[in-house]
Amino acid sequence: MPLFLPDFNLKNYNTLGVSASARFYVSVTNEQELREALQFAAQENLPLLILGGGSNIVLSDNFPGLALHMRIQGKTLVSENDEYVWLQVAAGENWHSLVEYSLKYHYWGLENLSLIPGSVGAAPIQNIGAYGVELKDVFEELSAVDIRSGLSVTFIKDSCAFGYRDSVFKNQLKDQYIITSVTFKLNKIPQPNLTYPVLAERFAHRSINEINPQEISQMVCDIRQQKLPDPAQIPNVGSFFKNPVVARNEGARLQQLFPDLAVYPVDESHVKLAAGWLIERAGWRGYSENGTGVHAQQALVLTNPGGADGKAILALAQKIQDSVAKKYGIDLEPEPRIYP
Ligand code: FAD
Ligand code: NAP
C-alpha cells in the first residue's frame, strides 16, 4: 500500500512555486499502487489531481482531494524495423530525459521537443508542441487506467483527437483516465524538421543532409535557454495563454488595424495569432505586481519570483486578458490547468 500523506504542501511540486496543500498526497511507482490510490480516493470520496512535473498547473487554493503523483518509470523497446523503432515509455519518466535517451541512440523525432519540462504521461494531454513539431507526430498509442473502473485501456492516435495544444483528455474524456505509458514511433532514417523560422535561420549555412538530431536538440536548448526563464530560478509554467485561433476574416480585420501583427495560417478558414505579440503590444512585457510578473524576454510567460499565491497570478492573468480583449477584441484562454 503506498503512503498517503495528509495536508501535504505542493510548493515543490508545481513549477510556479505556489504554496498550497493537498488534503492527501501519494507517490505511485507501479500500477498496483495506482489502483490502490484510486481505491483510497473512491472510499474517501476525494477529487483527484493527477500530478506529473507540475509544469502546467496553477494552484489557486488548497486542493481538497488526493494529489496522485505519477512516478512510474521504465522504457521498453517494443519493436523495430529498418526504418522505425517503437518505444514504450512509462508516464513518470521525465520528458527531456526521454529526448536525451532517444538522441543517444540517434533516433529522430523528439529533437525539436527538447527541454520541455514535465513528464511523459502529461505530454499527450495538451499534445505538447514546439519548433514545428507536436507530440502527435511521434505518437503511436498510449495506455491508460480508467479512473472509475480501474481497467486498462489502449488509445490509438485517432482516438486521442489531438489538436493544437489539445486532446480528447482535455475535453470529452477530461478527468476520466490516468495515462500510464506512451508508445512512440521514432525514425531511424534522418528526418530533420527545420520548418520553424528560427531553426531554418540558424541552420541556413549547413547542408540538410549533414545535420544530426543532437545538433538540432542543442540548438533548440540554446534558443530556449536564451528566451525562457528556468523554472528552478524564476518560477513559471511556460506560456500562460494559448495562441488564439480565429476566423480568417477576423485575422484580416486585426491585420488592417495592426499591420505587423503576427498571424499564421491554420487551415482554410482559420489563422493563429501570436498571443505573446498581443500581450507585448498591449504594454505588459516586463510588468510586475505583488510578487508576480510578465517575463521580459517573452510576454507570454507569467512568472512568480516573489512566491505569490495562485490568486495573485490569476489576478495578473485576468488583467492581461481584460486589456487584450479591450485592445483587440480577442479572448485569451489560459493554457495551464487551474486547480481546484
Ligand atoms: P502537470 O503540470 O503535472 O499536469 C498537467 C495536466 O496534465 C494536469 O491537468 C494533470 O492532471 C494532467 N496529467 C499529468 N500527468 C498525467 C497522467 N499521467 N495522466 C493523466 N493526466 C495527467 N508545453 C508545450 O506544449 N510546449 C512547450 O514548448 C512548453 N514549454 C514549456 C516551458 C517551460 C519553462 C514550462 C514551465 C512549461 C512549458 N510547457 C510547454 C508546458 C508543460 O511543460 C507541458 O504541458 C508538460 O507536458 C506538462 O507536464 P507535467 O508533467 O509537468 O504536467
Ligand atoms: P516564437 O518563436 O517567438 O514565436 C511566437 C509564436 O509564433 C509561437 O507561439 C509560434 O506558435 C508562432 N510561430 C512562429 N513562427 C511560426 C510559424 N512559422 N508557423 C506557425 N507558428 C509560428 O515563440 P517562443 O515563445 O520562442 O516559443 C518557441 C516554441 O516553443 C514555440 O513552438 C512555442 O509553442 C514553444 N513553447 C511553448 C511553451 C508552452 O508553455 N506551451 C513555452 C515555451 C515555448 P506555436 O506556439 O504554435 O509554435
Side-chain angles (χ1 to χ4, degrees):
M1 183 70 105
L3 208 54
F4 296 94
L5 302 171
D7 300 323
F8 187 89
N9 194 322
L10 295 171
K11 187 173 182 352
N12 296 328
Y13 295 80
N14 70 100
T15 63
L16 262 178
V18 167
S19 179
S21 60
R23 177 73 195 91
F24 287 98
Y25 165 91
V26 66
S27 165
V28 303
T29 56
N30 57 53
E31 286 203 24
Q32 172 66 19
E33 287 183 350
L34 172 59
R35 289 197 163 76
E36 287 168 354
L38 290 179
Q39 275 167 14
F40 177 81
Q43 274 159 17
E44 304 289 324
N45 206 14
L46 297 168
L48 283 171
L49 191 180
I50 312 304
L51 194 59
S55 64
N56 216 16
I57 60 170
V58 180
L59 298 167
S60 67
D61 208 338
N62 293 332
F63 183 72
L66 175 65
L68 192 162
H69 198 173
M70 282 295 285
R71 283 185 149 161
I72 306 177
Q73 303 284 306
K75 300 183 198 77
T76 312
L77 199 153
V78 182
S79 66
E80 63 181 312
N81 60 25
D82 290 345
E83 232 176 307
Y84 298 108
V85 60
W86 283 265
L87 198 61
Q88 186 183 40
V89 186
E93 290 279 347
N94 174 267
W95 177 265
H96 185 67
S97 302
L98 167 64
V99 175
E100 288 179 325
Y101 177 88
S102 74
L103 295 173
K104 191 168 126 194
Y105 293 97
H106 308 283
Y107 301 144
W108 288 83
L110 299 180
E111 58 280 2
N112 294 43
L113 301 174
S114 297
L115 222 59
I116 299 181
S119 61
V120 166
I125 301 289
Q126 74 159 8
N127 179 28
I128 57 168
Y131 298 95
V133 173
E134 292 180 343
L135 172 97
K136 71 170 171 53
D137 303 328
V138 287
F139 179 92
E140 179 72 20
E141 62 178 37
L142 64 78
S143 299
V145 167
D146 182 330
I147 290 175
R148 267 180 299 178
S149 69
L151 295 173
S152 294
V153 195
T154 299
F155 285 86
I156 58 167
K157 198 193 279 192
D158 282 350
S159 47
C160 294
F162 289 126
Y164 179 62
R165 305 289 185 271
D166 202 22
S167 77
V168 73
F169 305 105
K170 289 180 94 173
N171 298 293
Q172 296 94 316
L173 300 184
K174 189 173 175 187
D175 293 333
Q176 291 186 39
Y177 290 91
I178 300 181
I179 295 169
T180 50
S181 72
V182 180
T183 302
F184 298 88
K185 182 183 175 185
L186 304 177
N187 229 302
K188 290 179 169 180
I189 296 167
Q191 296 287 329
N193 180 334
L194 302 177
T195 50
Y196 204 81
V198 68
L199 287 184
E201 206 177 282
R202 301 269 180 122
F203 285 106
H205 62 292
R206 299 277 306 279
S207 154
I208 197 146
N209 302 322
E210 286 172 3
I211 301 166
N212 63 48
Q214 290 85 348
E215 287 176 288
I216 298 178
S217 170
Q218 189 55 54
M219 187 63 81
V220 168
C221 290
D222 290 349
I223 299 168
R224 292 183 74 105
Q225 280 163 340
Q226 282 160 21
K227 237 180 145 173
L228 291 168
D230 174 358
Q233 314 292 330
I234 304 174
N236 74 90
V237 279
S239 307
F240 202 91
F241 301 102
K242 289 189 200 171
N243 286 330
V245 174
V246 301
R248 274 186 183 263
N249 59 354
E250 175 65 357
R253 176 189 76 80
L254 284 166
Q255 252 179 331
Q256 283 217 315
L257 294 171
F258 307 97
D260 56 342
L261 173 71
V263 178
Y264 302 98
V266 171
D267 56 35
E268 275 179 12
S269 42
H270 294 90
V271 291
K272 180 182 77 181
L273 311 177
W277 189 98
L278 300 174
I279 297 167
E280 181 178 336
R281 297 305 172 95
W284 290 98
R285 189 153 73 96
Y287 176 83
S288 62
E289 66 171 35
N290 303 325
T292 67
V294 180
H295 192 52
Q297 273 77 42
Q298 169 52 291
L300 194 48
V301 178
L302 303 194
T303 59
N304 188 20
D309 63 14
K311 289 189 179 75
I313 293 153
L314 292 177
L316 172 61
Q318 187 63 56
K319 281 187 188 172
I320 293 172
Q321 284 169 297
D322 291 346
S323 122
V324 165
K326 194 169 166 207
K327 187 169 169 94
Y328 311 99
I330 294 287
D331 290 328
L332 290 180
E333 192 190 329
E335 183 183 283
R337 174 96 183 255
I338 297 160
Y339 290 95

